[in-house]
Structures are given as C-alpha cells and as structure tokens.
C-alpha cells in the first residue's frame, strides 16, 4: 500500500511540475497554420474599394490642428481646402506601397521579439479602460498598482506575446505624467514588446525616448521596438492629437497602429458594407500619412467595427455583424499588403459571465479567422471596454491558450495518422494505454488551466466552484508567484532618472 501511495504521489508531483512549467513557458508568437476565411468575392471587394475611393475623393477627410499633415498631403498631390483633404482615386494605395508587409517588433528579451504581418499572430491584453473590477472589490477606478498587476499577469502567462499598452488608466497619477509610469512599468515588469503613449505628441516622444534608453538610439532608429495605437475621430476626421503622435512614431521608425472606431448608427452607417467602406477610407489615410512622414516606416492597418442598440443608443460589442465585417476587413487589408490589427475579445457584459465569454469568443474567432496579425483587446475587456476585469483576464488568457492549438491546424504525417496504433489496439479495444497514446499523452491536447472537467459529483463535493471564482483564485496565485525579469542596473537607473526629471519639469494636470 505504501508503494502504491508513493507511485501516486510521484505521478501527482510530476503532473504538478509539468503544469507549473507549462504555465510559464510560451511561444514568442503564433505562426498561423490554417487559412484565412474569405467571405466576399473579388467583385464585391472591388465595389467596397470603389465606394471608399468615392468617399475620399468626393467627401474627403478633415485633418484638424496639424498644419504639417496638411502640407504633407498638399505635396503628395491631394486637394487641400482649409482642413478638408480630398484624395484622387488610387493615390493612397500608391503611397502605401512603401510600407512593409511585415516587420519585427523587438522585445527587451530578444527571445520574445515578435513578427507582425504575414502568417504571424500576436495576442496583447485589452487597452484603455478607466475602471477595473474583481469579485472582491467590485468596480472602481484603475490605479497604477492595477496597471502594474495586469502587466505582471500578462508577463507570467504563456498565452500572450505582448505586454500591451494602456491596460487600464492609472487614475491616481496626473494625466500629463502617467505615461511615464506606464512605460516604466512595461519596460521593467515585462520583457515582451509593448505600446507607448499617444495622448500628446510630447508623450509619444517621451515613450520613444524611454525605449531608446533601453535599446539604444541607433538600434531604435533602425528597428521597431514600440507601437503607438492611434484612433480616427470617426466619421472622417483625423484630430491633430492623433496625427501628431502618429507622425512622432513614424519619424522615429516606430509603428503606428491606425484604428477607426466606428459605432454603426453613430459614427458610421448602420449597414456593414457602408461602415467597412468608411473604415477602409479612414485607415488608408492614416497609414499613408506615416509614409509621408518617413517612407518605409512600419505601420499596422487597424480596425474596430462595432454595433449599437438602436432602441437605446447604447454600444454593443461581440455581436455578429462586426464579427463578419472583420472577415471583410481582413480581405481588404491583404489586398493592400499591410499587417492587420482587427477585432478582439469584445463584450458589453458587466460580469465575467456566460454573456462575456459568448460575445468574446465570437469576436476572437473572427480575429483569428480574418487573418489579424496583432490582436489587441485579447484579454480583460468587460463592460464595453469601460472596465478591465481581473477574472475575465484569466478566463480570456485560457481562451488565448486554446487558440494557439486552433491556429496550429492539423498536422498530417505517418505518426499523426497512427496506422500502427490501430494494429496494436485492434478492433473493439481502447487506445488509452497503447504505445502511441503514451508517446503523446503530455502534448496531445490543449489543457485548460481553469476549466473543471471532473465528474459532477466530484465538482459538487469540492464546493461547486464556478469559472469566475476559479479565475479569482488563479490571478491571486499568479501575482503571488510573479518574478520580474532582470534588467541591468545602469539601464534601470537611467530610466528612473528620465522619469524623475520629466516629472519635475511640469506641474500636475488632472484633465
């Protein structure tokens, strides 16, 4: 009996060790091994492109508070009337030919650098929520501690490839200074690629300067090490805050992620085709502006389609129309030969519940099937992006893990076809203990960290714990076990000096 107990304990210890190691080791990024899902014909895509060309040529786009952008367009051959810019058909596509189809975003740890474009897929956490929530404290304004916690959770998970950007707003730090603390947290608490500030041109430049301290000025000038996520003020307006930040990233040879946020029925048409045409027009203009600032600068073609409740006017997320619209955006982006950011783990649910996971899964499947290369909002998105949820973050991390296997597709070779295993097992017997199963049992299937697959009676006897409660326990354990990646002491001191000096130069501003 003691020998049996010893064998069982040994198996349990080995299983725990495999689980522990698996929870900390992941790929730097995914290489897609399944095809994209194309939903529209060539004829339909051409009609959308022609509609976008008409919007650009006949209605035009306003570029506000950025005379340099207007001068760029004037020199490039666009028609500039005050703030309104109209583009001859085909002009933007010609300008975009200099943008790279894929590029490397280098990480502080070279082993975690990512390729963005081509067949690569990169998961990054959600971005921009003013609130955070968990099962213990409920919904509250985000703080720097929360921001740092989410970076730690992402760093410690094998299912992400990117540290993200403004994972939540640290509202306890002055608005004009918080970008310094956020970039500092990304650079010191994670060794993965990250995103910088875009809320003002000088904050974008501060973010890039901090990256230069870590990577070196010459390296940054020749390589992408930081992303900046900029949004169109839809419909058909580019605000100077965004274009100045976009140009700051481009002239430093860093990648802008150019994203319209089109809420159908408010900032765009209620019809999917109309919203897609608008998105194409707005995004091409932003991407092309990066090339006029610095030819060959990396840029990501972004998209954020959403719907709304026409009865109440409330935004809705994770609905089918934007999901299928993402498929079309993917087709259009591939015709431009640009890296794609599209869709994400969207939901309007207020809790990490069935609605949240249903809507989020629909959106994430659209993202991976449309061919997105950089998937922002992969985890934590709740409450229509107003809240970043600790529990939802962990549940979404689990979903991201499953999508690694989904994107791997099905491998076909003699070992995978397992013909010899049939000869060993024979008719009417099971495969559980055969040599083929034993050779693959550790790696054959994706293994969830949070799902409960025990029989009902065993689950009930253990307290009938639901998924959100399991996720609550998991994020606390993950934070307790977190270890910061090493950083050279002189580099850290230089970063701290930069942040202290910049903060000392300005008074706090809270708006």
């Amino acid at each position: 009996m003691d020998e049996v107990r010893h064998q069982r304990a040994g198996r349990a210890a080995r299983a725990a060790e495999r689980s522990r190691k698996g929870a900390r080791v992941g790929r730097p990024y995914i290489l897609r091994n399944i095809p994209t899902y194309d939903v529209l014909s060539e004829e339909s895509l051409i009609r959308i492109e022609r509609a976008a060309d008409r919007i650009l040529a006949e209605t035009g786009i306003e570029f506000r508070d950025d005379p340099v952008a207007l001068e760029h367009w004037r020199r490039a051959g666009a028609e500039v009337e005050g703030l309104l810019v109209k583009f001859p058909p085909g002009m933007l596509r010609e300008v975009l030919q200099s943008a790279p189809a894929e590029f490397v975003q280098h990480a502080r740890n070279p082993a975690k650098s990512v390729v963005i474009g081509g067949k690569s897929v990169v998961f990054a956490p959600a971005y921009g929520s003013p609130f955070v929530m968990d099962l213990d404290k409920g919904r509250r304004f985000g703080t720097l501690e929360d921001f740092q916690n989410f970076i730690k959770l992402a760093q410690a998970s094998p299912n992400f490839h990117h540290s993200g950007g403004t994972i939540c707003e640290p509202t306890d730090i002055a608005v004009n200074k918080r970008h310094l603390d956020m970039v500092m947290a990304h650079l010191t608490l994670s060794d993965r690629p990250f995103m910088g500030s875009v809320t003002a041109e000088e904050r974008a430049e501060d973010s890039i300067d901090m990256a230069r301290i870590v990577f070196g000025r010459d390296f940054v000038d020749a390589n992408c090490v930081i992303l900046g996520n900029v949004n169109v003020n839809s419909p058909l307006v580019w605000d100077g805050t965004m274009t100045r930040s976009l140009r700051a990233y481009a002239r430093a040879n860093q990648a802008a992620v150019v994203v319209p946020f089109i809420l159908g029925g408010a900032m765009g048409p209620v019809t999917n085709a109309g919203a897609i045409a608008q998105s194409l027009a707005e995004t091409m203009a932003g991407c092309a502006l990066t090339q006029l600032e610095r030819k060959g600068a990396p840029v990501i073609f972004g998209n954020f389609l959403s719907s709304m409740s026409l009865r109440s006017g409330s935004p809705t997320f994770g609905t089918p129309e934007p999901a299928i619209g993402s498929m079309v955006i993917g087709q259009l982006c591939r015709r431009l030969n640009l890296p794609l950011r599209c869709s994400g783990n969207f939901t309007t649910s207020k809790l990490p519940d069935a609605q949240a996971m249903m809507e989020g899964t629909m959106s994430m499947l659209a993202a991976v099937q449309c061919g997105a290369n950089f998937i922002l909002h992969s985890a934590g998105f709740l409450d229509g992006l107003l809240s970043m949820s600790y529990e939802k973050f962990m549940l979404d991390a689990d979903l991201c893990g499953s999508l690694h296997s989904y994107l791997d597709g099905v491998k076909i070779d003699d070992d995978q076809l397992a013909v010899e295993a049939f000869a060993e097992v024979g008719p009417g017997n099971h495969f559980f203990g055969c040599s083929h199963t034993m050779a693959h049992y550790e790696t054959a299937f994706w293994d969830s960290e949070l799902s409960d697959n025990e029989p009902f009676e065993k689950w009930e006897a253990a307290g009938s714990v639901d998924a959100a409660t399991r996720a609550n326990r998991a994020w606390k354990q993950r934070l307790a076990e977190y270890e910061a990646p090493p950083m050279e002491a002189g580099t850290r001191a230089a970063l701290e000096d930069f942040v202290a000096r910049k903060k000392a130069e300005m008074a706090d501003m809270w708006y």
Side-chain angles (χ1 to χ4, degrees), residues 416-428:
Q416 293 291 311
L417 288 168
V419 174
E420 287 77 9
F422 288 94
E424 177 185 344
V425 173

Side-chain angles (χ1 to χ4, degrees), residues 10 31 87 108 112 184 227 266 329 389 407 434:
L31 278 176
F87 307 87
R108 182 161 73 82
K112 296 183 179 180
M184 184 72 174
L227 307 181
I329 293 292
S389 162
L407 284 160
C434 78

Side-chain angles (χ1 to χ4, degrees), residues 266-284:
M267 292 95 86
V270 294
T271 52
N272 227 348
I276 291 167
Q278 174 188 342
S279 176
L280 178 61
E282 293 175 340
T283 311
M284 282 199 301

Side-chain angles (χ1 to χ4, degrees), residues 98-169:
S98 62
E102 65 178 57
F103 62 92
V104 175
Q105 185 186 0
H106 293 268
R108 182 161 73 82
N109 179 350
K112 296 183 179 180
S113 296
V114 299
V115 174
I116 298 179
K119 291 188 174 183
S120 67
V121 182
V122 173
F123 291 148
Y127 181 112
S129 300
F131 299 100
V132 299
M133 63 169 67
D134 61 51
L135 296 185
D136 304 301
K137 300 177 183 177
R139 187 177 188 255
R140 60 198 185 277
F141 280 108
T143 65
L144 182 60
E145 181 182 5
D146 292 307
F147 184 89
Q148 293 167 336
N149 282 345
F150 282 114
I151 292 176
K152 293 174 182 179
L153 291 173
Q155 167 72 10
S157 172
N159 300 329
F160 302 114
H161 318 106
H162 204 278
S163 192
T166 306
I167 301 184
C168 68
E169 284 285 350

Side-chain angles (χ1 to χ4, degrees), residues 72-317:
H72 276 321
W73 293 125
R74 189 176 287 109
R75 286 199 303 267
E79 179 184 338
V80 181
E81 303 171 357
L83 303 179
L84 185 67
V85 182
K86 295 182 178 179
F87 307 87
M91 172 191 163
L92 294 180
R93 289 183 181 84
E94 184 176 345
V95 173
L96 285 169
Q97 288 179 7
S98 62
E102 65 178 57
F103 62 92
V104 175
Q105 185 186 0
H106 293 268
R108 182 161 73 82
N109 179 350
K112 296 183 179 180
S113 296
V114 299
V115 174
I116 298 179
K119 291 188 174 183
S120 67
V121 182
V122 173
F123 291 148
Y127 181 112
S129 300
F131 299 100
V132 299
M133 63 169 67
D134 61 51
L135 296 185
D136 304 301
K137 300 177 183 177
R139 187 177 188 255
R140 60 198 185 277
F141 280 108
T143 65
L144 182 60
E145 181 182 5
D146 292 307
F147 184 89
Q148 293 167 336
N149 282 345
F150 282 114
I151 292 176
K152 293 174 182 179
L153 291 173
Q155 167 72 10
S157 172
N159 300 329
F160 302 114
H161 318 106
H162 204 278
S163 192
T166 306
I167 301 184
C168 68
E169 284 285 350
T171 61
D172 54 337
I173 308 295
V175 171
N176 61 327
K177 297 179 180 180
R178 65 181 59 158
H179 67 287
L180 299 165
D181 292 288
M182 289 191 287
V183 173
M184 184 72 174
H186 279 299
L187 285 169
T188 57
L189 300 177
S190 173
D191 58 0
R192 286 178 168 153
F194 71 104
M195 307 178 81
S197 176
V198 296
T199 53
E201 183 177 14
E202 62 270 20
R203 296 170 197 166
E205 290 175 339
D206 285 345
S207 302
I208 296 164
D209 282 340
M210 292 177 73
R212 288 175 176 136
I213 291 171
V214 173
F215 291 90
R217 180 172 292 273
D218 290 344
F219 187 87
V220 171
D221 187 61
N223 299 277
C224 179
V225 302
I226 185 171
L227 307 181
N229 191 75
V230 295
N231 291 113
V232 186
N233 190 3
S234 303
L236 305 177
V237 172
W238 269 100
D239 180 83
T241 300
M242 292 290 98
T243 57
R244 289 171 187 268
S245 292
L246 174 152
R247 292 191 299 103
Y249 279 92
R251 67 174 169 265
N253 199 31
Q254 304 306 299
V257 189
V258 180
V259 189
F261 173 27
I262 299 175
L263 188 60
M267 292 95 86
V270 294
T271 52
N272 227 348
I276 291 167
Q278 174 188 342
S279 176
L280 178 61
E282 293 175 340
T283 311
M284 282 199 301
C287 290
L289 184 57
T290 68
Q291 300 307 294
L292 298 181
E293 183 72 23
R294 178 166 172 165
K295 190 174 183 178
V299 64
I300 299 175
F301 184 103
N303 178 71
F304 195 125
L305 295 174
S306 190
S307 53
M308 65 183 295
S309 170
L310 296 177
R311 290 183 297 275
S312 68
S314 298
T316 51
F317 294 93

